[in-house]
Amino acid sequence: MKQIINNILDALVKDGFIVIDEALDANLAKELLNFAREQNNYKQAGISSALDTHIDKTRRSDKILWLNEDNSVQSNFLDFTSRLQKSINQELYIGLSYYESHFAIYNEGDYYEKHLDSFKNSKNRVVTTVYYLNEQWNQSDGGELVIYDKNDNVLSKVLPKQNTLIIFLSDKFHHEVLATNKTRYSIAGWFRVDKF
């Protein structure tokens, strides 16, 4: 775990992003997938700005469910993010105040158009995390996360394979989720510098 966190810190300083295959305990990814599949209270995801949040299925069609630290499976994942937050604050002096995250389910045909996670007038999201839960994912299944540089060149196109972790600076990288050809599960999260 310590080596993964060190690799993340180095990548954030050098490149601003990192993609890690087989990032965490494989059993944790499987348990989180099982939990996500059992839930039936996902809500339609909204499009946010500094001023409001609204539903716009022409830009984003996934559904979400916020993580709950009182659940043991979710707590195990949040324990990792807590350790990462502490390390980022100690080593990079960013001053992250908390982490928020949700499960995201993309049904067949769902997508999320290109966007930034940090808004123009509200720089509260600083570091983005995406953790994939999907078993047996192939190129033909679609649903890739595409990360762009500031000149709109593709930096990385990531298949949403189980136990893959992506971390990047929220205000530096536009990204999108391509349309998926089967049900796709992930956990999206943000380290923030504002208060609850």
Side-chain angles (χ1 to χ4, degrees), residues 9-47:
L9 297 175
D10 290 345
L12 287 175
V13 170
K14 183 181 175 200
D15 303 312
F17 82 101
I18 187 170
V19 178
I20 307 171
D21 296 318
E22 304 302 328
L24 306 177
D25 185 292
N27 288 326
L28 175 59
K30 291 174 185 174
E31 290 171 3
L32 286 164
L33 176 62
N34 290 336
F35 177 87
R37 284 176 169 162
E38 291 168 0
Q39 305 313 300
N40 58 9
N41 52 343
Y42 288 89
K43 305 288 184 196
Q44 186 66 47
I47 303 294

Side-chain angles (χ1 to χ4, degrees), residues 57-95:
K57 291 185 181 179
T58 66
R59 296 174 61 193
R60 179 181 188 179
S61 52
D62 61 312
K63 295 178 176 65
I64 63 170
L65 175 66
W66 292 96
L67 265 71
N68 178 353
E69 64 185 21
D70 294 332
N71 174 278
S72 62
V73 174
Q74 295 171 69
S75 291
N76 291 336
F77 175 75
L78 293 172
D79 178 61
F80 161 72
T81 62
S82 177
R83 291 172 64 183
L84 179 56
Q85 177 180 330
K86 183 177 179 183
S87 295
I88 290 173
N89 283 342
Q90 286 177 340
E91 301 298 326
L92 306 184
Y93 308 104
I94 292 179

Side-chain angles (χ1 to χ4, degrees), residues 133-186:
L133 308 178
N134 309 291
E135 298 173 305
Q136 301 174 344
W137 203 273
N138 301 307
Q139 197 80 39
S140 61
D141 297 323
E144 298 97 330
L145 177 75
V146 184
I147 302 172
Y148 298 89
D149 68 13
K150 64 182 179 181
N151 298 315
D152 214 29
N153 299 308
V154 173
L155 284 175
S156 189
K157 192 172 183 182
V158 185
L159 276 179
K161 297 185 297 187
Q162 190 171 80
N163 204 19
T164 298
L165 177 68
I166 303 107
I167 298 181
F168 56 89
L169 297 174
S170 303
D171 66 344
K172 300 294 184 195
F173 300 98
H174 281 87
H175 55 287
E176 66 178 320
V177 177
L178 302 182
T180 184
N181 297 320
K182 67 179 186 181
T183 304
R184 171 192 188 278
Y185 291 93
S186 62

